[in-house]
């Protein structure tokens, strides 16, 4: 089991107390092997979740740019049946999305029973980028923490298990990853000049994240702060948490049809 002393937070959250470089006693190779073993477990559990059809799982991924959201999704779901996983990436809202309440586009994408839904960014953008850039009045975004909690409680009470991960990288690590993107033409598409503007607002984002982690960390929808400077440790923590959560659900295969014991398949 990966040691996870950094999660989940309780009470006041100061992100400076959480080391993005933390990796417990783990070394890269051992962690990679463990992730491979867990991948097999995840594949079996996902198949059972799908067959059972009574529970849904929602994974929310949030991070600063280059924080590893895409890489985490690739790593965690390699080897899992694509039929049972639905990934949604939330971008700047379209005009249609903006003309509804902020949860409208989110609610439409939550996983149905039997499915694992993955949000690459989420409704939390509406209290992160929206807050930092003042895209709506403070009186509007302030209310959203409660609105989000109630929304997530509704999902939980409707059979959805919610796991939220904040992939925590340092500002130095982001610089390194941006430089890698600039140095590799195959990664240029991942870089936008706007990312530099967001980087300038780093401290404001950290304050906004701290509020999210503090106000929206509920037993029915816990936040996990994942030390994410080392990609292999990040993958290990997310994988362990997911497999443990799925393993804790009362999953069972549906009962066989009556009479199946005596069936002989004709030639
Ligand atoms: P990327 O993840 O690089 O594809 O970028 C998606 C962009 O969409 C990011 O700059 C987000 O800040 C932005 N975004 C996502 N959700 C919202 C939202 N609700 N309001 C404004 N911008 C958003
Ligand atoms: Mg980006």
């Amino acid at each position: 089991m990966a040691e996870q002393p950094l999660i989940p937070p309780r009470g006041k959250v100061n992100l400076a107390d959480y080391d993005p470089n933390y990796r417990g006693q783990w070394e890269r190779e051992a962690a990679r092997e463990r992730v491979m073993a867990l991948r097999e477990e995840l594949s079996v559990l996902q198949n059972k979740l799908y067959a059972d059809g009574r529970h849904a799982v929602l994974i929310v991924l949030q991070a600063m740019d280059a924080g590893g959201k895409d890489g985490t999704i690739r790593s965690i779901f390699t080897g899992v049946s694509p039929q049972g996983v639905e990934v949604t990436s939330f971008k700047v809202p379209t005009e249609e999305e903006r003309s509804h309440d902020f949860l409208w586009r989110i609610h439409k994408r939550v996983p149905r029973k039997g499915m694992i839904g993955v949000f690459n960014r989420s409704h939390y953008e509406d209290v992160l980028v929206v807050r930092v850039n003042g895209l709506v009045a403070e009186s509007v975004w302030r209310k959203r923490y409660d609105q989000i909690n109630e929304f997530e409680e509704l999902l939980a009470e409707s059979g959805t298990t919610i796991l939220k991960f904040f992939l925590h990288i340092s500002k130095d690590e982001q610089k390194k990853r941006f430089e890698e993107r600039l140095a590799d033409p195959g990664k240029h598409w991942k870089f936008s000049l706007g990312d530099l503007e967001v980087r300038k607002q780093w401290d404001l984002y950290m304050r906004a994240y701290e509020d999210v982690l503090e106000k929206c960390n509920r037993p029915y929808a816990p936040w996990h702060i994942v030390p994410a400077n080392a990609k292999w440790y990040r993958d290990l923590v997310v994988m362990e948490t997911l497999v443990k959560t799925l393993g804790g659900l009362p999953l069972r295969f549906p009962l066989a049809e009556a009479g199946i014991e005596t069936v002989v398949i004709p030639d």
Side-chain angles (χ1 to χ4, degrees), residues 65 121 181 190 192 195:
D65 291 313
R121 302 187 190 269
R181 286 181 180 184
K190 284 205 152 206
S192 95
D195 293 349

Side-chain angles (χ1 to χ4, degrees), residues 25-26 47 52 89 103 105 138 151 167 180 183 188 195 200 223 225 230 233 260 262:
Q25 302 299 311
W26 285 87
N47 186 44
D52 179 310
S89 299
L103 291 171
R105 67 173 184 161
E138 174 163 358
F151 169 64
L167 309 180
E180 279 164 19
H188 284 175
D195 293 349
K200 282 189 200 150
W223 270 107
I225 301 174
Y233 189 72
I260 204 172
T262 56

Side-chain angles (χ1 to χ4, degrees), residues 102 124 126-128 131 138 140-152 207-216 218 220:
F102 77 105
Y124 285 99
D126 293 283
V127 283
L128 291 164
R131 162 178 162 166
E138 174 163 358
V140 173
W141 61 254
R142 277 271 167 220
K143 285 191 180 156
R144 289 183 173 170
Y145 301 101
D146 287 341
Q147 290 164 345
I148 287 172
N149 286 337
E150 288 185 6
F151 169 64
E152 291 180 354
R207 298 297 85 75
Y209 267 110
E210 285 168 350
D211 268 357
V212 159
L213 295 164
E214 199 174 299
K215 296 180 195 300
C216 300
R218 295 297 160 98
Y220 52 80

Side-chain angles (χ1 to χ4, degrees), residues 45-58:
L45 285 164
Q46 182 275 327
N47 186 44
K48 208 164 178 185
L49 179 85
Y50 189 84
D52 179 310
R54 293 174 308 150
H55 307 271
V57 175
L58 173 62

Side-chain angles (χ1 to χ4, degrees), residues 64-66 69-70 91 121 178 181 189-192 195:
M64 295 298 283
D65 291 313
K69 300 185 296 298
D70 297 341
K91 308 286 183 186
R121 302 187 190 269
F178 277 171
R181 286 181 180 184
W189 66 277
K190 284 205 152 206
F191 189 82
S192 95
D195 293 349

Side-chain angles (χ1 to χ4, degrees), residues 64-65 129 132-133 171 174 178 191-205:
M64 295 298 283
D65 291 313
V129 62
V132 169
N133 288 331
K171 203 174 172 189
Q174 188 193 53
F178 277 171
F191 189 82
S192 95
L193 289 171
D195 293 349
L196 295 178
E197 297 308 307
V198 179
R199 180 172 164 81
K200 282 189 200 150
Q201 299 166 308
W202 186 276
D203 292 340
L204 293 172
Y205 273 97

